Amino acid sequence: MKNRVMLIGAIGAGKSTLTNSLLGKIVPAIKTQTLIYYDWIVDTPGEYTENPFFYKNIMATALEVTHIFYLQDATNGKMIFPPGFSTGFSKLPIGVITKSDHKEANLERSIKMIESVISVGPIVIASAVNGTGVEHLKALVDMDDMASMKSYVEKEQDENLLFTNQLYS
Ligand SMILES: Nc1nc2c(ncn2[C@@H]2O[C@H](COP(=O)(O)OP(=O)(O)OP(=O)(O)O)[C@@H](O)[C@H]2O)c(=O)[nH]1
Ligand SMILES: [Mg+2]
């Protein structure tokens, strides 16, 4: 895979656990202290998203990737991304709702939050525990433009895969 994705989101949102699922690793995630580069994934510490002091690190790392996953924990009602955050990056945005398997998951609330972050792009409802959405995420990172991602979402007809366009709604 020539494309590469950076994962950002709050502390404990599930970035490293999802990274392991995407890479087919079955080890439990441990707290991320620094940027971690894998073959086609860059995992970041949640502090980089939560603390504006670190935005410069996210900005610099974004230069090295083609896609950005914006993660929202479905069990967490707190939104830590500033609205429209993805418009600051000229990279293909993908919203990811994590922990959809959890009994306290609130998908409707999470979708609304992530829509305000990415404005335009696919949203994948995912779980690293039961594998929901993982194949969609891999497929999307393989695509080179928004139009391809949009037609993929339309073609798949999966309730765990949406396309949001807040600019024209
Ligand atoms: N139920 C459920 N729990 C999950 C899922 N993904 C992650 N978790 C749990 O959420 C906690 C945090 O997961 P991490 O992957 O370490 O989160 P992170 O975003 O990498 O956190 P930082 O590295 O601190 O930024 C762990 O206890 C995971 O087991 C999921 O899909 N479902
Ligand atoms: Mg981590």
Side-chain angles (χ1 to χ4, degrees):
M1 182 155 0
K2 63 181 167 16
N3 290 346
R4 202 179 220 198
V5 63
M6 173 174 76
L7 277 68
I8 62 175
I11 296 166
K15 299 175 294 299
S16 302
T17 306
L18 184 60
T19 296
N20 287 340
S21 288
L22 289 164
L23 296 172
K25 295 189 192 187
I26 43 169
V27 292
I30 49 161
K31 166 80 198 142
T32 311
Q33 308 280 8
T34 184
L35 287 171
I36 304 184
Y37 287 80
Y38 298 94
D39 183 21
W40 56 276
I41 301 180
V42 188
D43 186 15
T44 67
E47 286 79 1
Y48 281 29
T49 307
E50 294 207 10
N51 186 343
F53 177 78
F54 292 110
Y55 285 178
K56 59 182 183 299
N57 300 59
I58 296 184
M59 296 286 175
T61 309
L63 299 176
E64 304 171 28
V65 303
T66 50
H67 294 62
I68 300 177
F69 288 169
Y70 297 83
L71 272 72
Q72 177 63 47
D73 179 342
T75 68
N76 193 338
K78 197 170 144 217
M79 157 86 158
I80 53 112
F81 292 105
F85 195 56
S86 83
T87 56
F89 302 91
S90 57
K91 301 294 169 176
L92 291 170
I94 297 166
V96 184
I97 317 285
T98 59
K99 310 187 190 180
S100 66
D101 63 276
H102 199 287
K103 63 181 187 325
E104 276 154 36
N106 184 333
L107 299 182
E108 210 175 321
R109 174 185 72 195
S110 312
I111 290 165
K112 284 208 183 75
M113 291 196 281
I114 217 69
E115 279 178 338
S116 79
V117 178
I118 72 166
S119 306
V120 180
I123 297 177
V124 179
I125 295 166
S127 164
V129 167
N130 62 25
T132 301
V134 170
E135 291 309 314
H136 290 320
L137 291 169
K138 288 189 204 169
L140 290 165
V141 174
D142 235 355
M143 295 173 195
D144 295 321
D145 52 63
M146 189 63 88
S148 309
M149 297 202 297
K150 185 164 193 273
S151 42
Y152 175 78
V153 172
E154 285 163 358
K155 184 174 56 73
E156 286 293 307
Q157 300 268 332
D158 182 343
E159 59 183 358
N160 293 314
L161 183 62
L162 329 168
F163 193 91
T164 186
N165 190 341
Q166 300 295 304
L167 297 180
Y168 302 102
S169 63

